[in-house]
Amino acid sequence: GIKFKVDDNFLITIDTSGTGYTIGNNRRWEVDVTTSNTLSNKIVITKQFTYANGENATDTNLAALRGATEFKLYDSASNEVTGKLTYTASTGMITVSNLSEGTYYIKETSHPQGFAAAADIKLVVTSDGKINVSYAGTRSDFSSLYGNNTTSVTATLYNRQNSNQISIKKKYYKPDGVTEIPISQINQFASFSLTRTDGAQITGMESTVSQRTGKYTFKNLAPGAYKITETAATGYVAASDITFTVDMYGNIKMPDTLPPGWTGLTGDDSQSLSVVVNNKKVSNKLQLKKYYYDASGTEVYPDDSVAANIAQFTLQDMSGNSYPLIYDRTTGLYRVDNVPSGTYSLIETAPAGYKS
């Protein structure tokens, strides 16, 4: 009930919030009163963070992420309710207590970059102070709910990191390092391996390979230090190892100077990074020295300024493809460069008067 008193001057004094009216004798009077029944109840929610690979944040990272988060309480009319919610960043504890009957929403008003925002938490308080809790987001992000529909409720609320990714585009080049070889002409392909350089295990990471398009990805990387190692296709020079880091927000940071073979970096220090890895075909050469002898076995020296006076040599692979050796009068050597991997026959065409 509402307690009030009327003095000799008809001044009405009300013990709770309301409006009193001073009125004259022998007149009708009314009192409009708005009351709020404060009930004893409490909900405590622990704030946690999950990295892209599914691991939960710990230690100093967890403390920093909690410190970048804020919450407010609103009623069903979207009015902020003050004095009922406290958030302790050091422990990640959200506490809402002594709510009167009605509907409320806990809203996350600030969260760390790189993480998805938490959805609203709805609180419905009954006349006896019991709190019914429901979550508007993904069920797994609001877990360990105990005491629902009682006056003492606990739960855990997660922010999940957005997926991060390294995308590698593979390119192959001739030994000159300039002329690109279409990937449709590549029969053997490179591969990449990812390791941690800080001693931790890699968990929850996803990788995809599309060799025919030259695309490789590493996805959902937890904070830490990493290294990518390439195993080049046979006959190609592998790119050097590259080391990089992932911070607590999921941002991927490559070194300021890329190692040999790595180019075209875009999106550095972000959650989505692209880079090109170039393989140059191994440079090789075959050199041949030719000697000539007359019928008595004495070495002779034909006039090599006339092509017909000297032998011609050709490498031929098992498919019949030919690679001629070019004669250099300065060195007296025959030479062929950059022969593809395979099995060959060396075929000589001797000049007139000589046996091959």
Side-chain angles (χ1 to χ4, degrees):
I2 301 172
K3 295 180 179 180
F4 64 93
K5 64 181 180 179
V6 182
D7 64 15
D8 293 340
N9 296 316
F10 291 96
L11 179 64
I12 302 173
T13 304
I14 301 174
D15 292 342
T16 59
S17 60
T19 303
Y21 298 88
T22 300
I23 57 178
N25 194 10
N26 297 323
R27 294 188 181 183
R28 182 182 177 188
W29 53 269
E30 296 179 349
V31 178
D32 295 331
V33 179
T34 301
T35 65
S36 177
N37 294 324
T38 300
L39 303 171
S40 178
N41 50 32
K42 180 169 67 173
I43 177 171
V44 178
I45 301 169
T46 303
K47 196 75 189 74
Q48 296 287 1
F49 297 84
T50 302
Y51 297 130
N53 72 329
E55 294 178 3
N56 290 334
T58 58
D59 303 327
T60 55
N61 282 359
L62 178 58
L65 294 170
R66 284 172 168 172
T69 311
E70 296 178 356
F71 296 90
K72 289 183 179 180
L73 183 68
Y74 294 86
D75 62 19
S76 58
S78 298
N79 299 309
E80 184 181 354
V81 179
T82 59
K84 299 293 185 180
L85 182 149
T86 59
Y87 174 60
T88 306
S90 60
T91 60
M93 296 294 184
I94 311 157
T95 303
V96 181
S97 57
N98 300 327
L99 293 175
S100 58
E101 182 179 3
T103 300
Y104 304 86
Y105 295 91
I106 300 174
K107 293 181 178 288
E108 186 176 70
T109 55
S110 180
H111 65 279
Q113 62 101 348
F115 287 79
D120 292 350
I121 302 170
K122 182 179 180 180
L123 311 177
V124 178
V125 181
T126 58
S127 59
D128 56 0
K130 293 179 180 178
I131 305 173
N132 177 269
V133 183
S134 58
Y135 184 63
T138 304
R139 186 180 183 88
S140 59
D141 292 347
F142 190 70
S143 64
S144 303
L145 177 60
Y146 298 105
N148 199 18
N149 292 310
T150 72
T151 57
S152 181
V153 184
T154 60
T156 302
L157 177 64
Y158 289 87
N159 283 88
R160 299 196 181 272
Q161 195 174 74
N162 302 322
S163 178
N164 56 13
Q165 177 175 294
I166 297 176
S167 298
I168 298 173
K169 176 65 176 177
K170 197 78 192 68
K171 291 187 176 183
Y172 299 87
Y173 288 86
K174 290 184 177 181
D176 60 14
V178 176
T179 307
E180 185 174 356
I181 302 173
I183 202 163
S184 60
Q185 297 179 14
I186 304 299
N187 296 319
Q188 293 181 316
F189 299 93
S191 62
F192 295 91
S193 62
L194 180 70
T195 56
R196 291 279 292 254
T197 60
D198 51 15
Q201 295 294 317
I202 295 178
T203 60
M205 185 272 295
E206 300 176 16
S207 62
T208 60
V209 177
S210 178
Q211 292 177 327
R212 275 299 167 195
T213 60
K215 294 181 180 179
Y216 303 74
T217 62
F218 293 105
K219 189 176 181 180
N220 298 333
L221 302 174
Y226 294 83
K227 178 176 70 174
I228 295 177
T229 300
E230 181 188 31
T231 301
T234 302
Y236 288 84
V237 180
S240 299
D241 292 352
I242 191 169
T243 57
F244 63 93
T245 58
V246 179
D247 66 18
M248 74 176 81
Y249 306 108
N251 297 318
I252 303 166
K253 182 70 177 74
M254 289 292 183
D256 292 336
T257 302
L258 296 179
W262 297 79
T263 60
L265 176 63
T266 59
D268 191 29
D269 203 13
S270 74
Q271 289 186 321
S272 182
L273 177 151
S274 298
V275 67
V276 177
V277 177
N278 306 292
N279 283 156
K280 185 172 69 172
K281 204 165 187 178
V282 173
S283 176
N284 59 24
K285 65 181 178 181
L286 172 65
Q287 293 187 124
L288 183 148
K289 175 67 174 177
K290 176 66 178 173
Y291 296 90
Y292 299 88
Y293 297 88
D294 62 18
S296 66
T298 302
E299 185 176 0
V300 295
Y301 304 91
D303 180 7
D304 61 5
S305 65
V306 180
N309 292 339
I310 60 174
Q312 304 299 321
F313 292 92
T314 301
L315 282 180
Q316 189 173 82
D317 65 19
M318 303 302 289
S319 299
N321 299 308
S322 296
Y323 301 85
L325 280 71
I326 307 302
Y327 179 70
D328 184 348
R329 292 185 63 202
T330 303
T331 62
L333 298 175
Y334 294 82
R335 174 174 170 170
V336 62
D337 293 339
N338 304 319
V339 180
S341 58
T343 302
Y344 294 84
S345 298
L346 178 61
I347 301 171
E348 178 189 26
T349 303
Y354 291 87
K355 288 184 178 181
S356 294

